Amino acid sequence: MTTPSFSVYSLATPLLRSGDDVAAHLLSSVERSAARGFETGDVVVVAESALATAEGRVVRLADIEPSADALRLAEEYHMDPRHVEVVLRESDRIVGGIPGFLLCMKNGTLLPNAGIDASNAPEGSLVLLPLDPDASAARIRAAIRERSRADVGVIVIDSRTHAMRLGCSGVAIGCSGIPSVVDERGKKDLFGRELEVTKRAVADCIASAAELVMGEAGECVPAAVVRGVGLPVGDYAGVATIDASECLFMGVALHADPSLLVDGKREP
């Protein structure tokens, strides 16, 4: 069996602003790109910060009044108390932190500062994560299908650090139209042994591939098209996550210090 080859095309847009029609910008951009339009089976990758900006998920620090908990955590972790207050509001749980960052649980994912982005945000503002990345991906997918007749998958991605590794890579936080994880159990390895636990995080792999052409700074390339991955496109929805107790990293931390989580929250 041959491994399918694929191509990744960058999609440049104007600077997105609150209220912008993201799908319209993507449809315009793809016609100018080397992809020459969307095709059925494509996977459209969209950066969360640009999407969140278009959805109005931007807060001004001048409008934020820090709580007592925010002031205490800001002093402990050397952060702007207003930034900490926004992180507290956006988090499901605060697990811990290091100087400059709080480690949070949000929407079943472990991430720094609840995914709040100070880069690529207007001066004195913060960009929050999209309110419902899966729903955002589904809306973009429906709009592209309606306007171009191409049945595509859509992934909303973010940049994340990983345990004990330097640097960031792409991770899917919203998904529509393709499976986010492909179960490889039952297949044979090189020596004929049956795989028992392997599941491929294909949406995360696509996210990292797309990030190579999207950039992280001022490129104004908030999206990409990945063509030829060979994934089925259909009624797939959502990014697969697991409970904290099933996660290797979180499970070890909770075993070492169960007090990290108290009634679903960390005591500030």
Side-chain angles (χ1 to χ4, degrees), residues 84-159:
V84 173
E85 176 61 30
V86 178
V87 171
L88 289 175
R89 295 178 187 179
E90 289 293 307
S91 298
D92 298 325
R93 300 170 180 170
I94 304 295
V95 178
I98 61 173
F101 298 93
L102 292 172
L103 188 60
C104 311
M105 288 291 295
K106 181 179 175 66
N107 297 334
T109 304
L110 192 66
L111 70 165
N113 290 344
I116 294 166
D117 206 344
S119 60
N120 293 315
E123 185 68 28
S125 300
L126 299 172
V127 179
L128 315 181
L129 287 179
L131 194 60
D132 187 338
D134 289 329
S136 298
R139 285 193 297 271
I140 293 171
R141 178 177 180 238
I144 289 174
R145 183 170 51 191
E146 179 183 351
R147 301 175 198 179
S148 73
R149 305 302 179 192
D151 195 6
V152 302
V154 176
I155 302 174
V156 179
I157 72 167
D158 194 6
S159 295

Side-chain angles (χ1 to χ4, degrees), residues 105 107-110 199 239-249:
M105 288 291 295
N107 297 334
T109 304
L110 192 66
K199 297 180 181 180
V239 174
T241 61
I242 58 175
D243 187 77
S245 62
E246 301 177 62
C247 172
L248 174 61
F249 302 111

Side-chain angles (χ1 to χ4, degrees), residues 35-55:
R36 303 297 183 190
F38 291 124
E39 297 179 2
T40 292
D42 285 348
V43 180
V44 183
V45 181
V46 184
E48 54 81 22
S49 57
L51 176 61
T53 299
E55 292 180 347

